[in-house]
């Protein structure tokens, strides 16, 4: 008989590729009109990784709509800069923005950090687990210490903070735990084995935590999965050794603008969308392929991966040169 599963996969991917991404964005923005500005103002939001990139922009957009903020990261001076700008662009007052210096890998400090936010604001409505670092190195060349460091930061650091904040949310029977995952939490990618593993771990963790807190209908677990977004992420990637910095930054201009990613993230957050893929094509299409026709996705990734690895080895920025070549 006809290969129905195969035909089903083909038509599904075709329909998804053609329509759903556009529908999704349209729907997200329509949802925004109805509830974005109603749900978030006045909510106390704790943002980790607020000193640069997506977390910084998120802080500005939340400040503008009037959400009191706790801002965390390791670099206090950068958090001061972000706070200053938040105050300039919003009607928030000095006491509405609390700086909480925090190293996600220093888990013994997470309880006292949580207490200091609670002491200041009396509640935490939304925790945005955003702090994290990516990776740019081949597994065969990379120290296992790097894998340990990535998991300590992206995975254990995130779930440790979540544990303290969730205790408080369970007492109140309400709150949102929002995690900046990635399309890399859904698919694989060469040169990012450890990063993908940490984001897959988060995906598995939060998808399993959600049913554990289902008895509290007002507690939501939200996974945001952006594709490539403009930020400092490439400057800060892990490489072959924990202390080795990335020398090859490349051109980031083809990536999604930070403000658009944050805007779509806020809409997802306001509407309790459990998993939002926030990405431009071709990355979004690869997500759909990965979901509905993984065998093809693996084949495709082997091909794309070859170019990426070749570029990386020859010292050209892996993503940008592939993007230029394919566009
Ligand atoms: N940009 C993308 O293409 C993209 C795509 C998908 C997902 N994401 C995710 O988005 C999140 C934000 O990344 P980004 O793109 O905005 O990169 P970024 O500009 O490098 O920002 C990373 C943030 O994480 C903080 N951070 C790093 N190590 C930390 C530690 N040990 N303890 C506490 N905070 C730490 C940094 O602050 P300090 O250095 O001051 O500590 C910084 O504020 C990450 O989870 C990333 O995986 C990014």
């Amino acid at each position: 008989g006809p290969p129905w599963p195969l035909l089903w996969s083909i038509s599904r991917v075709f329909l998804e590729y053609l329509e759903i991404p556009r529908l999704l964005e349209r729907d997200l923005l329509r949802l925004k009109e109805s509830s974005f500005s109603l749900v978030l103002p006045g909510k106390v939001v704790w943002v980790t990784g607020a000193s640069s990139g997506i977390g910084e922009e998120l802080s500005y957009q939340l400040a503008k709509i009037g959400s009191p903020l706790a801002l965390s990261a390791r670099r206090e001076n950068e958090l001061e800069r972000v706070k200053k700008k938040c105050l300039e662009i919003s009607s928030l007052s000095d006491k509405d923005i609390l700086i909480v210096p925090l190293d996600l890998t220093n888990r013994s400090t997470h309880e006292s950090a949580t207490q200091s936010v609670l002491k200041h604001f009396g509640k935490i409505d939304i925790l945005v687990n955003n702090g994290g670092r990516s990776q740019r190195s081949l597994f065969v060349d990379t120290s296992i210490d790097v894998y340990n460091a990535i998991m300590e930061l992206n995975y254990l650091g995130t779930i440790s903070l979540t544990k303290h904040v969730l205790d408080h949310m369970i007492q109140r029977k309400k709150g949102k735990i929002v995690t900046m995952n990635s399309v890399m939490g859904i698919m694989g990618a060469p040169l990012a084995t450890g990063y993908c593993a940490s984001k897959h771990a988060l995906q598995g963790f939060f998808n399993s935590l959600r049913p554990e807190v289902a008895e509290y209908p007002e507690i939501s677990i939200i996974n945001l999965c952006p594709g490539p977004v403009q930020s400092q992420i490439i400057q800060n990637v892990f490489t072959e050794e924990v202390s080795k910095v990335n020398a090859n930054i490349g051109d980031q201009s083809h990536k999604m603008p930070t403000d658009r990613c944050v805007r779509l993230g806020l809409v997802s957050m306001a509407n309790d969308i459990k998993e939002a893929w926030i990405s431009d094509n071709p990355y979004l299409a690869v997500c759909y392929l990965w979901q509905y026709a993984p065998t093809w996705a693996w084949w495709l990734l082997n091909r794309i991966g070859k170019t990426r690895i070749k570029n990386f080895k020859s010292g050209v920025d892996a993503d940008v040169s592939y993007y230029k070549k394919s566009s």
Side-chain angles (χ1 to χ4, degrees):
W4 290 117
L6 183 67
L7 291 174
W8 170 241
S9 291
I10 294 170
S11 54
R12 191 72 198 253
V13 166
F14 187 65
L15 287 173
E16 299 271 3
Y17 181 74
L18 283 184
E19 277 308 325
I20 302 295
R22 269 176 287 160
L23 280 180
L24 184 69
E25 183 158 345
R26 242 190 351 249
D27 284 353
L28 278 175
L29 294 174
R30 199 184 59 227
L31 283 169
K32 170 198 169 279
E33 300 309 325
S34 61
S35 59
F36 177 59
S37 52
L38 295 176
V39 176
L40 298 175
K43 296 278 186 290
V44 174
V45 188
W46 187 1
V47 182
T48 70
S51 62
S52 82
I54 298 174
E56 176 178 350
E57 175 63 24
L58 180 65
S59 308
Y60 299 147
Q61 293 198 25
L62 283 167
K64 273 189 201 153
I65 58 172
S67 304
L69 294 167
L71 305 178
S72 285
R74 290 167 304 175
R75 289 169 299 163
E76 204 171 341
N77 57 334
E78 291 299 312
L79 292 175
E80 291 288 358
R81 177 183 62 77
V82 174
K83 174 174 177 174
K84 190 163 171 272
K85 185 161 168 199
C86 284
L87 291 173
E88 280 164 17
I89 60 174
S90 74
S91 54
L92 295 176
S93 64
D94 187 68
K95 68 172 182 7
D96 292 328
I97 304 182
L98 180 69
I99 288 179
V100 187
L102 180 87
D103 185 341
L104 280 166
T105 63
N106 194 352
R107 299 200 296 274
S108 62
T109 62
H110 292 182
E111 186 174 4
S112 61
T114 308
Q115 289 312 321
S116 67
V117 180
L118 287 175
K119 192 168 164 223
H120 189 85
F121 291 112
K123 63 171 186 172
I124 299 166
D125 292 300
I126 305 177
L127 169 67
V128 184
N129 287 315
N130 170 75
R133 284 173 65 187
S134 188
Q135 176 194 8
R136 207 36 94 67
S137 60
L138 288 165
F139 173 62
V140 289
D141 299 329
T142 304
S143 156
I144 290 297
D145 294 343
V146 170
Y147 288 84
N148 192 50
I150 292 178
M151 290 308 266
E152 282 282 348
L153 171 57
N154 292 1
Y155 177 60
L156 286 172
T158 298
I159 71 164
S160 160
L161 198 63
T162 297
K163 193 169 172 57
H164 295 292
V165 176
L166 187 64
D167 283 345
H168 159 72
M169 290 181 174
I170 286 175
Q171 276 170 23
R172 286 183 78 213
K173 297 190 172 51
K174 71 197 282 192
K176 296 178 197 276
I177 306 276
V178 181
T179 301
M180 200 57 73
N181 203 297
S182 167
V183 293
M184 302 270 191
I186 294 163
M187 60 167 89
L191 300 169
T193 47
Y195 180 67
C196 281
S198 70
K199 294 293 185 180
H200 275 70
L202 286 174
Q203 194 77 343
F205 173 85
F206 284 107
N207 282 337
S208 307
L209 178 64
R210 192 179 295 113
E212 288 192 15
V213 294
E215 65 183 288
Y216 308 103
E218 288 189 62
I219 294 185
S220 19
I221 306 290
I222 298 166
N223 293 333
L224 304 179
C225 301
V229 176
Q230 290 168 9
S231 75
Q232 302 294 303
I233 199 164
I234 302 299
Q235 284 87 328
N236 296 326
V237 288
F238 282 104
T239 62
E240 291 80 0
E241 299 294 336
V242 175
S243 55
K244 188 178 157 208
V245 294
N246 178 29
N248 195 352
I249 310 301
D251 173 13
Q252 305 297 309
S253 59
H254 66 285
K255 296 183 171 182
M256 181 184 277
T258 330
D259 60 343
R260 178 157 169 259
C261 168
V262 166
R263 194 171 136 87
L264 291 170
L266 284 176
V267 174
S268 313
M269 226 184 262
N271 292 283
D272 288 335
I273 292 173
K274 294 183 182 62
E275 182 171 311
W277 298 355
I278 300 173
S279 178
D280 290 321
N281 281 319
Y283 313 98
L284 188 60
V286 178
C287 280
Y288 282 105
L289 200 60
W290 203 276
Q291 180 103 345
Y292 295 112
T295 314
W296 295 353
W298 299 331
W299 170 82
L300 182 69
L301 202 68
N302 281 355
R303 292 182 64 95
I304 297 173
K306 248 187 218 158
T307 316
R308 226 176 161 239
I309 293 167
K310 201 169 122 224
N311 291 336
F312 173 76
K313 283 186 171 169
S314 61
V316 184
D317 179 61
D319 287 333
V320 174
S321 54
Y322 176 72
Y323 175 82
K324 284 191 174 149
K325 211 179 163 88
S326 64
S327 60

